[in-house]
Amino acid sequence: MAITTLLVLLVVALLLGIAIYNKLTRLRNAIANAFAQIDVQLKRRYDLIPNLVETARKYLQHERETLEAVVAARNQAQAAAGKARADLAGAGNVAALGAAEAALGGALGKLMLVVEAYPELKADRNMREFAEELTSTENRVGFARQAYNDSVLEYNDAAMQFPANLVARLFSFHAAATLQSTQSAAERNAPAVRF
Amino acid sequence: MRFRQHQNQARAATRRLLLLFLLTVLLTVLAVNLVLALLWSLQTGNLLAYPRWFFETNSVLCAVFILGGSWIETVQLRRGGAHVAQMVGARELLVPGDGYEQRLRNVVEEMAIASGLKTPRMFVLDRDQGINAFAAGWEQNDSVVAVTRGALERLNRDELQGVVAHEFSHILHGDMRLNMRLIGHVWGLQLLFLLGRDLFGATDARDRRTAFVFMGLGLMVVGSIGWLAGRLLKAAVSRQREFLADAAAVQFTRQPHGIGGALRKIADQRAHGHAAMRSTRAEVISHMLLASDIFARVGALATHPPLAERIRRIYGRPMASLSSVIVPAEVQAPPPAPDMLMAFDGADAAAEGEVEMARPGSPPVIDAEATAEPNESWAAPAAPSSPADWLEDLLSIAWPHDLAPATLAFLVPGEGSPEHRAWCALFAPSDSGRARHLLAQAWSLPASRHQAAFERLLTRCVSLPPSERVQLRRHAHQIVRADGRLGFAEIWHCLLLDHMLEQRHESVLRETHYLTLQDCASAIVTLTDLLVTQRRVGQADLASLRKRWRGEMAIALELESFETAVAGLALPVVERATQRLARLSWMLRPRVMKAWCAMALRDEPPNLQSAQSIADALRALCILVDTPMPPQLQARYPQQDGLPGRS
């Protein structure tokens, strides 16, 4: 009798464990998917920047450093994104991407300040379209991060609650890191695409 | 997730609604039976003796009527959200035409990311200056978001985002399905009321007995009860969904000022007596709108909660309304000033050119780099190898400002012509490298594909907003008249452009009275003369040739003779002629076309170039009078370049 009870309890515990394991796996995959979405938007931003620089270069002959800083920051951010994509859980990869993105944001902000001083560049039709595209891209990155953080929150909540935390410990479901929207003072001054 | 919970709730609500609807149908059937029984007993004076199957027949007929009506409307709606949008006269946003539309497209894509949904199809209601929007669709996959022009122009970016987020909430929470079902059901119930009204109204027939009038009256009363019940259902469900959608809009955008600001601007429009929707069928979709119209029934029948209450819930306290004037360029931040985006015309361009010259030491706008690597530009990807690919690329791009220059490039005959200078004045100063690239590509198309390419670009231009279309036509006339005279090719191009951009064929389609060949005689003569002149350009015996062609046309069309006087060959005359011919009976148009083609393509024209130009003219004529190309004309064009289909 006692053995039967024990067996039933064991089976129930096993089934529960499987259910929890599956749920955690699903949530972890959702995080990877959400990150991929950010990645898509970051790529849009990387694609946009060379053309922005190309348009601006015609007018900004004397601002070569500013433009080069933007291009360099863009390349760095692109490299960091590649690394983070390859190994999402890798130590500091996501944080490094955040920092690189922040630097890119700072460089872009500087460029936009320079643009302010060139009325004919501001009036350039391409430039105006880029400004809208850039605003939109910033928003997209923001919304994608928001979605990523939402999914991280859901995953962490699920993995830390009892009894799921036992399963999480057993199968090493580590807590995922949310993307901080402001990691540095530079990023807090987000690129002002204001005209 | 909470979203799923909401969706389940919505599904449960839909089931409840279905149950209530069936209950209403049942009650209606009972009421109809009661009325008919009463009428019968009044007629026969016998309270209890009814014919066999009396109630069964009534019930089945009544149920079939209501359910059938609902079913038909539902089937209609199942054709998808795009159908609903077109029903109220919305235009699909394929190519963003101006800054406002570019912004809308971006905002919708941003919200798709925020809510984790697929990007829906976008529609614009051009004629509506009221701020409004709706989402429609049966599934999340075929959903559409439609926004009025007023919302585009009068909201700033954040507010537009709030509005779009509100609509996304409807998509995400499964409200659209509920909404569409509601439309179908309420329509079915309304049908009974309409039948009753028809019976009641039709008193002029000789053998109509008063019983029919009473029956009509009874049906009307019963039907209106059903209809009222349907409206109550619709309103009750809808109000809760609106609060939910407002809340979700705040959740998606993480700020209350977007949707809140939009609602406050709507409140302002209300205060100034602005109607919400102008479409005649707007009533049908009233409960799908962001805010229903000014005459919205209060209390239990209103599909939307009062605006003030919605605003209060968003902000947590009452807020004053915001001014809903068109957002002017200066305050338009952070996106670029859309007004300025559109205000691109010759004068503007010239001013920009001068600024360029005035700056000492600055490179000219067309610097070596820009011309050498125009392909590096993000907007114009690497130059494709063949001209046809170039056209495909051009048609698939999303950049609005390439469309007009590329279309009008087909009006430019060659380097250094007055048309060329006019074109450059319009498009080249600001963006010379790319614009010139477009022109070069257009010239590199083989002559036989020229016309088809022009037509394809025009079909795309049709989806531009009205203001841009008007501007495009104005520019076209500027270019064509640059050298002070109208060539034959220019006449056809102008006619085609005006015809397609004005969408005149729609009004022609509505014409119920078609003309006969005799009615169109003078139009046919005019166009025959034009074709003759174009074909034998510069030849002496024009008058005799004209006479011969007219005679041949008369024989081919079995008409008495063609001795009508023709009032010259000016553009308006030709235009009127094509318009008149477009009203010719459907069956006769191919005959006229065939006769022309047989004559024009029969003997070899002077040279290859004029052979092409006459074929192009005939091809344009086919579109103008809306008839298929005859086979011998079709054979002159590459297989893939068929006439653009009418949508």
Side-chain angles (χ1 to χ4, degrees):
Chain A
M1 192 61 209
I3 290 177
T4 321
T5 317
L6 207 65
L7 260 173
V8 166
L9 277 179
L10 257 178
V11 167
V12 167
L14 195 68
L15 286 179
L16 195 67
I18 290 172
I20 290 172
Y21 179 87
N22 286 347
K23 186 184 175 192
L24 290 179
T25 311
R26 182 172 58 76
L27 290 176
R28 195 163 57 181
N29 288 342
I31 292 181
N33 176 48
F35 187 81
Q37 291 307 313
I38 304 183
D39 208 40
V40 169
Q41 300 313 321
L42 288 181
K43 184 170 180 310
R44 182 185 152 93
R45 193 194 207 181
Y46 302 146
D47 288 346
L48 195 60
I49 287 169
N51 301 286
L52 174 75
V53 169
E54 196 56 45
T55 309
R57 193 163 63 184
K58 284 186 226 164
Y59 300 88
L60 302 181
Q61 294 296 312
H62 311 296
E63 309 278 357
R64 220 163 253 287
E65 316 88 72
T66 317
L67 289 174
E68 273 160 13
V70 170
V71 173
R74 177 251 182 197
N75 291 341
Q76 233 158 29
Q78 199 175 23
K83 218 181 253 173
R85 197 181 312 131
D87 181 14
L88 193 54
N93 273 353
V94 174
L97 174 60
E101 279 294 318
L104 177 57
L108 272 178
K110 216 174 278 170
L111 174 63
M112 285 304 162
L113 273 183
V114 170
V115 169
E116 283 293 304
Y118 290 80
E120 60 270 46
L121 173 57
K122 252 173 69 182
D124 186 283
R125 191 174 173 139
N126 271 356
M127 198 63 195
R128 287 194 299 243
E129 264 168 24
F130 280 134
E132 162 64 24
E133 291 302 318
L134 207 56
T135 308
S136 178
T137 308
E138 297 300 333
N139 281 345
R140 285 167 203 232
V141 173
F143 286 127
R145 292 167 82 124
Q146 186 177 302
Y148 174 82
N149 282 351
D150 282 351
S151 60
V152 165
L153 181 72
E154 202 186 348
Y155 165 77
N156 284 350
D157 271 355
M160 280 177 196
Q161 281 164 352
F162 183 82
N165 60 348
L166 301 179
V167 180
R169 187 92 39 92
L170 195 61
F171 294 101
S172 57
F173 282 95
H174 300 298
T178 52
L179 289 166
Q180 300 303 316
S181 51
T182 51
Q183 286 190 331
S184 62
E187 203 183 359
R188 246 163 257 141
N189 305 326
V193 205
R194 282 163 208 285
F195 273 72
Chain B
M1 253 178 115
R2 272 164 301 169
F3 299 147
R4 204 147 294 136
Q5 192 188 331
H6 284 311
Q7 279 202 317
N8 288 339
Q9 273 176 9
R11 292 228 178 79
T14 316
R15 274 196 296 276
R16 250 198 326 274
L17 175 79
L18 202 64
L19 210 70
L20 280 170
F21 169 72
L22 286 176
L23 208 67
T24 320
V25 171
L26 206 69
L27 281 174
T28 315
V29 169
L30 275 178
V32 166
N33 270 316
L34 201 70
V35 168
L36 289 178
L38 212 67
L39 280 172
W40 180 263
S41 50
L42 279 179
Q43 285 274 309
T44 58
N46 192 338
L47 267 180
L48 287 170
Y50 297 108
R52 276 187 76 192
W53 305 109
F54 180 76
F55 293 108
E56 287 84 347
T57 314
N58 292 341
S59 306
V60 167
L61 275 180
C62 185
V64 162
F65 206 68
I66 299 175
L67 295 177
S70 298
W71 182 75
I72 287 170
E73 188 71 358
T74 308
V75 163
Q76 287 266 322
L77 294 169
R78 259 190 202 278
R79 281 156 64 188
H83 176 71
V84 175
Q86 276 150 8
M87 193 171 81
V88 295
R91 165 178 64 89
E92 183 160 13
L93 183 60
L94 296 171
V95 188
D98 54 22
Y100 289 122
E101 295 184 356
Q102 189 191 4
R103 194 173 66 179
L104 173 67
R105 195 192 57 184
N106 279 335
V107 162
V108 169
E109 283 174 7
E110 285 161 25
M111 279 302 110
I113 293 167
S115 62
L117 289 175
K118 247 181 71 180
T119 312
R121 286 163 76 183
M122 291 159 242
F123 284 80
V124 177
L125 288 145
D126 279 315
R127 290 185 199 83
D128 273 304
Q129 273 302 316
I131 299 170
N132 231 325
F134 68 87
W138 201 258
E139 298 285 334
Q140 285 188 358
N141 291 333
D142 81 353
S143 55
V144 306
V145 168
V147 177
T148 60
R149 190 76 198 167
L152 289 186
E153 288 173 359
R154 287 160 199 274
L155 299 180
N156 66 28
R157 199 174 205 286
D158 284 347
E159 288 157 0
L160 186 65
Q161 203 160 44
V163 168
V164 171
H166 175 105
E167 300 309 330
F168 263 89
S169 161
H170 284 316
I171 299 176
L172 188 69
H173 297 152
D175 297 356
M176 296 184 310
R177 207 188 175 83
L178 194 68
N179 278 337
M180 305 278 266
R181 233 181 243 282
L182 277 167
I183 295 180
H185 291 170
V186 172
W187 200 74
L189 289 168
Q190 198 174 359
L191 214 57
L192 207 64
F193 173 78
L194 293 177
L195 178 74
R197 200 180 60 187
D198 281 358
L199 277 179
F200 180 66
T203 45
D204 53 349
R206 281 172 290 127
D207 54 351
R208 195 131 298 203
R209 279 185 251 152
T210 40
F212 276 98
V213 179
F214 279 116
M215 199 162 96
L217 197 64
L219 271 179
M220 248 168 94
V221 171
V222 170
S224 62
I225 291 170
W227 180 69
L228 199 72
R231 293 298 295 261
L232 275 171
L233 277 177
K234 182 165 131 171
V237 179
S238 172
R239 279 199 303 270
Q240 288 312 311
R241 315 306 298 176
E242 290 303 318
F243 280 131
L244 176 64
D246 285 346
V250 176
Q251 184 206 337
F252 289 151
T253 57
R254 299 283 204 267
Q255 56 152 339
H257 302 293
I259 183 70
L263 288 176
R264 287 163 71 189
K265 283 189 176 173
I266 294 175
D268 181 65
Q269 282 198 328
R270 287 301 142 74
H272 291 90
H274 218 298
M277 272 291 256
R278 282 182 43 178
S279 165
T280 42
R281 291 204 71 177
E283 215 283 325
V284 181
I285 60 157
S286 69
H287 62 295
M288 296 164 81
L289 294 174
L290 173 68
S292 63
D293 60 357
I294 189 167
F295 306 113
R297 293 139 298 273
V298 282
L301 270 178
T303 52
H304 289 61
L307 269 176
E309 171 64 12
R310 286 170 75 184
I311 294 169
R312 199 188 58 76
R313 285 208 192 183
I314 290 170
Y315 286 98
R317 63 197 160 87
M319 297 290 275
S321 56
L322 282 174
S323 164
S324 63
V325 292
I326 291 183
V327 181
E330 306 85 79
V331 250
Q332 182 88 15
D339 284 348
M340 285 175 66
L341 271 182
M342 292 195 300
F344 177 74
D345 56 27
D348 211 16
E352 272 176 34
E354 274 168 28
V355 171
E356 269 314 311
M357 314 285 198
R359 250 183 76 203
S362 75
V365 203
I366 333 139
D367 64 2
E369 260 165 7
T371 33
E373 353 166 281
N375 310 334
E376 250 189 32
S377 168
W378 180 48
S385 44
S386 84
D389 290 345
W390 164 77
L391 189 67
E392 293 308 318
D393 264 31
L394 191 68
L395 288 169
S396 67
I397 52 145
W399 285 96
H401 63 254
D402 274 348
L403 195 56
T407 309
L408 297 183
F410 286 92
L411 301 181
V412 180
E415 187 87 46
S417 58
E419 287 90 350
H420 183 216
R421 280 198 295 280
W423 188 89
C424 285
L426 285 172
F427 301 112
S430 86
D431 187 15
S432 37
R434 206 156 96 217
R436 271 164 220 276
H437 180 66
L438 281 177
L439 195 58
Q441 292 281 15
W443 282 339
S444 71
L445 274 178
S448 63
R449 310 202 54 175
H450 229 256
Q451 187 72 13
F454 181 63
E455 286 161 11
R456 285 195 62 189
L457 284 168
L458 276 182
T459 49
R460 187 54 65 92
C461 291
V462 169
S463 71
L464 289 172
S467 61
E468 295 267 312
R469 287 206 297 264
V470 169
Q471 199 185 22
L472 186 66
R473 284 168 61 196
R474 213 181 53 230
H475 284 166
H477 284 270
Q478 263 174 38
I479 290 173
V480 161
R481 285 165 212 278
D483 58 354
R485 52 179 208 88
L486 270 178
F488 291 105
E490 287 174 340
I491 289 180
W492 295 114
H493 278 139
C494 273
L495 287 175
L496 214 51
L497 199 105
D498 286 347
H499 172 81
M500 292 184 68
L501 295 192
E502 236 178 51
Q503 289 173 304
R504 188 178 288 133
H505 51 270
E506 277 176 17
S507 61
V508 171
L509 274 180
R510 261 182 248 115
E511 203 79 48
T512 46
H513 175 66
Y514 288 115
L515 302 177
T516 63
L517 275 177
Q518 197 64 56
D519 296 331
C520 290
S522 75
I524 293 173
V525 172
T526 306
L527 292 169
T528 308
D529 282 0
L530 183 68
L531 288 171
V532 173
T533 322
Q534 180 173 5
R535 191 156 179 285
R536 287 293 150 110
V537 66
Q539 290 202 0
D541 54 345
L542 197 60
S544 66
L545 203 66
R546 262 188 195 175
K547 210 171 155 74
R548 213 183 79 208
W549 275 45
R550 284 187 187 186
E552 280 184 38
M553 279 304 280
I555 294 165
L557 301 177
E558 294 165 18
L559 285 173
E560 301 280 299
S561 72
F562 265 151
E563 289 315 313
T564 334
V566 171
L569 286 176
L571 186 57
V573 178
V574 177
E575 191 166 11
R576 269 200 301 279
T578 56
Q579 278 168 22
R580 189 152 180 87
L581 204 60
R583 288 180 55 198
L584 182 66
S585 162
W586 290 99
M587 306 300 285
L588 295 173
R589 280 181 228 168
R591 248 179 87 190
V592 180
M593 215 56 233
K594 239 176 164 160
W596 272 328
C597 286
M599 236 156 28
L601 304 174
R602 187 182 43 204
D603 12 83
E604 269 312 301
N607 56 48
L608 209 63
Q609 202 185 350
S610 81
Q612 188 62 51
S613 91
I614 199 84
D616 284 350
L618 288 167
R619 190 185 159 104
L621 207 47
C622 284
I623 295 180
L624 290 170
V625 304
D626 193 22
T627 187
M629 273 201 275
Q632 69 258 53
L633 182 60
Q634 180 87 59
R636 290 190 162 254
Y637 290 96
Q639 201 101 72
Q640 68 267 40
D641 290 341
L643 282 183
R646 247 213 347 248
S647 55

